[in-house]
Amino acid sequence: MKFGIIKERKNPPDRRVVFSPEALLKLKTMFPDASIKIEHSDIRVFPDSEYQNLGFEVAQDITDCDVYFGVKEVPVEALIPNKKYFFFSHTIKKQPYNRKLLQAILEKNITLFDHETIVDATNKRLIGFGRYAGIVGAYNAFRAFGIKFELFQLPKAETLNGREALISKLKRPILPPIKIVLTGKGKVGNGSKEILDAMNIKEVSLENFLTKNYSEPVYVQIDFLEYNKRIDGKPSSKLDFSQNPKDYTSDFDRFTKVSDIFIAGHFYGNDAPAILTRKMLLENDCKLKVVADVSCDVDGPIACTLRATTIADPFYGYYPAEHKEVDVFHPAAIVVMAVDNLPCEIPKDASEGFGETFLEYVIPAFFNGDKDGILERAKITENGKLTSKFSYLQDYVDEK
């Protein structure tokens, strides 16, 4: 089995990589039969020399490999026919902008595995950059707060050397007694929680958060049943919510009345109710000053997420009265952070963490006959056709 580490070709440039040099060395130690080749890249966070110094071949031509590992979508013209690819394809939700990519993958007889579809037998995602999105998203929330109220100036995360450097910068400002609400208890939400805890911000109970005043910054981390309720008032449960999301409505407004910063790290299903509605944002008692939408679903559950922002220009002001974008310093503006590629700001940490989980869950499947079904569940295309699990995409690929 010959693995190829491909160069990232999507713009804006992404410096992340599936495997750091050290992770590849560990892979080779664990599976001596594996052959590995790295495509030359002048943007990768780990320079070619770091791979070469550990004995790995770096080349311009890696067409002799069997399986290719990348992060972002591979441009159609760079796809090599009759090969296996792993990358985030952003096609499984029928994203219109990547229809031609999936069509090309089928035409070129490529077997596609999407990082997002690598799940265990219970359909739980096994790998991803979610933790690092949560870390950077929380950092950006405080950076936005400091800018809006001219309290302090934090440097951009991309200019710092990873998680520990972010935490070091965040420990310096003296914060007023603000309240922070964090949604989500998955990898994204817990990534943000890491930052709040490292800043020594006090975590309080839901009831105390809603009813008590504090002389110091505090936060609460809530899951979906704590900001959604059944419309008919009947008891709710995780199973019932997953089966009947349309029977629920958001009661997040009880948090908007007391929160200064909202860090959105939730997972959002297609039929779930909106979380932060325009009506909530229009209320006179809405206290929100910063919304850091780490999950970043445009036109989704967070009404003020009008568009994705960029690492270069991460913030805009949202004017609730007219539901439009304004300057951050507009007196009635809520600052919105909706960067959709946050892990790119700490590419070294993100790549190292991603490689560890990929080595743990995915690589063994190539050498144990895929006994746990990891590869089979993740496979979107094979032999020029969609696999049965992803046959729902047929109408998507048939469109011209």
Side-chain angles (χ1 to χ4, degrees):
M1 183 65 64
K2 191 165 190 176
F3 299 123
I5 310 300
I6 60 177
K7 173 183 178 178
E8 296 297 320
R9 290 175 164 83
K10 189 175 180 182
N11 278 315
D14 194 319
R15 301 182 67 210
R16 291 174 296 171
V17 64
V18 173
F19 287 111
S20 69
E22 288 73 19
L24 282 187
L25 192 62
K26 187 175 180 181
L27 188 161
K28 189 67 178 170
T29 302
M30 293 171 63
F31 304 102
D33 291 340
S35 178
I36 304 161
K37 200 172 183 179
I38 296 93
E39 185 176 13
H40 161 71
S41 170
D42 51 5
I43 62 167
R44 194 179 289 130
V45 66
F46 303 102
D48 290 348
S49 59
E50 291 193 26
Y51 292 96
Q52 291 168 323
N53 291 343
L54 293 178
F56 294 106
E57 181 184 359
V58 177
Q60 297 280 359
D61 182 0
I62 60 168
T63 55
D64 56 335
C65 295
D66 305 301
V67 183
Y68 296 97
F69 299 130
V71 178
K72 288 290 190 72
E73 299 100 311
V74 177
V76 168
E77 63 275 11
L79 290 167
I80 306 168
N82 307 310
K83 302 287 186 175
K84 294 181 172 70
Y85 277 88
F86 284 77
F87 55 84
F88 286 108
S89 71
H90 298 117
T91 57
I92 63 172
K93 294 181 181 178
K94 301 185 178 182
Q95 292 94 323
Y97 54 89
N98 278 335
R99 181 184 287 111
K100 289 182 179 178
L101 172 63
L102 189 53
Q103 290 170 338
I105 286 167
L106 291 165
E107 289 167 6
K108 292 173 182 281
N109 193 35
I110 287 168
T111 302
L112 173 65
F113 303 85
D114 193 306
H115 297 313
E116 199 172 346
T117 63
I118 298 170
V119 297
D120 65 13
T122 66
N123 214 39
K124 178 184 175 184
R125 280 187 64 181
L126 294 173
I127 62 169
F129 291 101
R131 176 193 171 203
Y132 302 94
I135 287 170
V136 180
Y139 177 87
N140 281 348
F142 290 105
R143 182 167 179 258
F145 187 83
I147 289 171
K148 170 70 175 177
F149 297 102
E150 300 180 327
L151 293 174
F152 48 84
Q153 286 282 344
L154 291 170
K156 286 189 173 184
E158 65 172 337
T159 67
L160 302 173
N161 189 28
R163 175 184 179 276
E164 295 307 316
L166 302 188
I167 291 168
S168 175
K169 292 292 183 184
L170 286 169
K171 285 183 173 179
R172 296 177 186 177
I174 297 174
L175 293 168
I178 56 176
K179 286 185 173 182
I180 303 134
V181 58
L182 166 63
T183 53
K185 293 191 174 181
K187 288 182 173 66
V188 176
N190 287 334
S192 292
K193 177 178 167 59
E194 278 185 48
I195 293 297
L196 298 173
D197 291 342
M199 293 171 68
N200 294 318
I201 295 178
K202 182 179 181 180
E203 183 176 12
V204 298
S205 69
L206 185 153
E207 183 179 351
N208 286 347
F209 185 87
L210 294 174
T211 59
K212 289 189 175 182
N213 293 320
Y214 293 89
S215 58
E216 62 181 319
V218 299
Y219 82 92
V220 66
Q221 183 183 21
I222 56 175
D223 211 351
F224 57 90
L225 286 185
E226 294 166 315
Y227 56 83
N228 287 300
K229 62 181 180 182
R230 279 193 63 99
I231 297 168
D232 58 14
K234 291 181 180 179
S236 59
S237 69
K238 290 185 176 181
L239 179 61
D240 182 56
F241 183 84
S242 66
Q243 293 178 341
N244 307 293
K246 292 181 179 178
D247 293 337
Y248 284 75
T249 188
S250 170
D251 61 350
F252 189 73
D253 55 335
R254 56 188 182 143
F255 295 96
T256 65
K257 299 177 194 302
V258 298
S259 306
D260 301 282
I261 296 176
F262 170 26
I263 303 173
H266 53 263
F267 169 78
Y268 179 71
N270 288 336
D271 293 325
I275 299 168
L276 176 60
T277 65
R278 188 182 174 198
K279 182 176 182 294
M280 294 177 194
L281 292 163
L282 280 167
E283 294 292 343
N284 290 331
D285 57 358
C286 176
K287 285 190 63 182
L288 288 174
K289 300 169 183 68
V290 172
V291 174
D293 190 355
V294 184
S295 297
C296 190
D297 291 303
V298 178
D299 294 325
I302 308 300
C304 54
T305 303
L306 304 177
R307 63 176 176 89
T309 57
T310 64
I311 291 171
D313 190 14
F315 311 124
Y316 64 81
Y318 172 78
Y319 184 34
E322 297 185 17
H323 188 57
K324 70 176 185 180
E325 184 176 332
V326 294
D327 187 83
V328 164
F329 294 105
H330 186 293
I334 296 168
V335 184
V336 177
M337 189 288 305
V339 176
D340 61 0
N341 59 342
L342 288 164
C344 294
E345 297 204 57
I346 49 171
K348 184 174 183 292
D349 290 39
S351 298
E352 289 173 344
F354 192 90
E356 287 174 11
T357 52
F358 206 89
L359 184 56
E360 178 181 358
Y361 294 114
V362 182
I363 296 300
F366 285 99
F367 299 93
N368 64 18
D370 192 27
K371 66 181 181 67
D372 298 315
I374 297 292
L375 300 178
E376 193 59 34
R377 283 190 296 271
K379 193 186 300 176
I380 295 178
T381 64
E382 188 176 33
N383 298 323
K385 297 180 180 180
L386 293 164
T387 60
S388 58
K389 182 179 177 181
F390 296 96
S391 59
Y392 70 90
L393 294 172
Q394 191 63 55
D395 63 336
Y396 169 63
V397 298
D398 286 344
E399 289 184 43
K400 300 299 180 185

